[in-house]
Amino acid sequence: MRQTTGIALEELTVLVTGSQRGLGLALVHELSARGTRVYAGHRSAGVPAELDLPGVTPVFMELGATPLPRLPDVDYVVNNAGINRNTPLDSPQATQVLDEELRTNVLGTLNLIHHYLPRLAGRPAAGFVNIISALAIDPNYFCATYSASKAALHSLCVSLRQVAGDKGFHVLNVYPTAIDTRLTDGLAIPKLAPAEVARAIVDAWSAGDCELFFQ
Ligand SMILES: NC(=O)c1ccc[n+]([C@@H]2O[C@H](COP(=O)([O-])OP(=O)(O)OC[C@H]3O[C@@H](n4cnc5c(N)ncnc54)[C@H](OP(=O)(O)O)[C@@H]3O)[C@@H](O)[C@H]2O)c1
């Protein structure tokens, strides 16, 4: 799915959540290299050294906590922060874990969308990039609760495309397969390199695409 026009990333200021490591950090590197100004959301006590990059401003941000930073010059929000507790459906902890995963992956993200949606009004090019998961569409028994949380996020992000589209905003929903980050530590499965996934996301974003799936 594609919008009609491309997007000049070098003219944008974007916020990336969960950017201290993993895919978020790879996205910050890729955007910085392309001349985009980046607010790099992290939740460390100090300023993380890995975010010392050209055009990058670290900003403390914990999903679900208040207040959220105002950042009035933000054009795009990249909803990347997420958790996976690798919990199967029949685990005695499944209910509790699903609650925790929903709080971060769904409610935390929705809260951030609510915070920034009105603030994007009037920006010439604006929108959201949402890091969902292939497991939202094709769930895995071994992380059933995470898959369910991402299915809920997928549903909200499809609705967001409608709401945001009516306001002239762009929404790119991304469905990666397994990536080699802390989230998949210890899993003996084929994994994509974070830098490769980040490059594909930023390419799709600059092309104005609305969905990105991986093989
Ligand atoms: N890895 C995969 O196979 C895979 C596949 C498909 C989709 N995804 C999605 O890609 C996104 C990035 O994941 P990743 O693989 O890069 O995992 P990761 O290495 O575990 O990184 C997750 C990031 O999210 C942050 N985070 C978690 N909960 C947060 C909260 N409540 N508030 C603020 N930040 C929070 C973490 O911060 P801390 O460092 O402080 O914990 C960390 O920076 C996630 O949405 C994940 O679901 C990953």
Side-chain angles (χ1 to χ4, degrees), residues 34 48 52 63 82 98 113 166:
R34 297 196 195 199
D52 185 13
L63 291 190
L98 177 58
I113 289 169
D166 289 348

Side-chain angles (χ1 to χ4, degrees), residues 8 24-25 28 31 37 40 74 86 117 170 182-183:
L25 182 58
V28 171
L31 289 164
R37 289 174 301 284
V74 162
N86 283 312
L117 194 56
H170 170 217
R182 200 183 294 177
L183 193 129

Side-chain angles (χ1 to χ4, degrees), residues 75-124:
D75 299 303
Y76 269 79
V77 176
V78 181
N79 286 308
N80 168 75
I83 57 169
N84 174 10
R85 299 295 183 233
N86 283 312
T87 303
L89 184 74
D90 53 358
S91 160
Q93 279 79 46
T95 308
Q96 190 188 325
V97 171
L98 177 58
D99 183 73
E100 185 192 356
E101 290 170 335
L102 287 172
R103 279 178 201 280
T104 297
N105 299 346
V106 182
L107 300 174
T109 303
L110 181 59
N111 191 36
L112 202 69
I113 289 169
H114 278 167
H115 182 73
Y116 283 104
L117 194 56
R119 291 179 161 80
L120 300 186
R123 315 289 304 170

Side-chain angles (χ1 to χ4, degrees), residues 15-98:
L15 165 65
V16 181
T17 67
S19 70
Q20 194 187 338
R21 57 187 166 93
L23 178 59
L25 182 58
L27 282 165
V28 171
H29 273 274
E30 187 65 33
L31 289 164
S32 166
R34 297 196 195 199
T36 309
R37 289 174 301 284
V38 181
Y39 287 113
H42 70 90
R43 52 179 184 168
S44 298
V47 176
E50 52 274 58
L51 296 176
D52 185 13
L53 294 165
V56 174
T57 306
V59 53
F60 183 86
M61 178 175 290
E62 168 99 46
L63 291 190
T66 53
L68 288 167
R70 295 177 64 84
L71 307 178
D73 55 340
V74 162
D75 299 303
Y76 269 79
V77 176
V78 181
N79 286 308
N80 168 75
I83 57 169
N84 174 10
R85 299 295 183 233
N86 283 312
T87 303
L89 184 74
D90 53 358
S91 160
Q93 279 79 46
T95 308
Q96 190 188 325
V97 171
L98 177 58

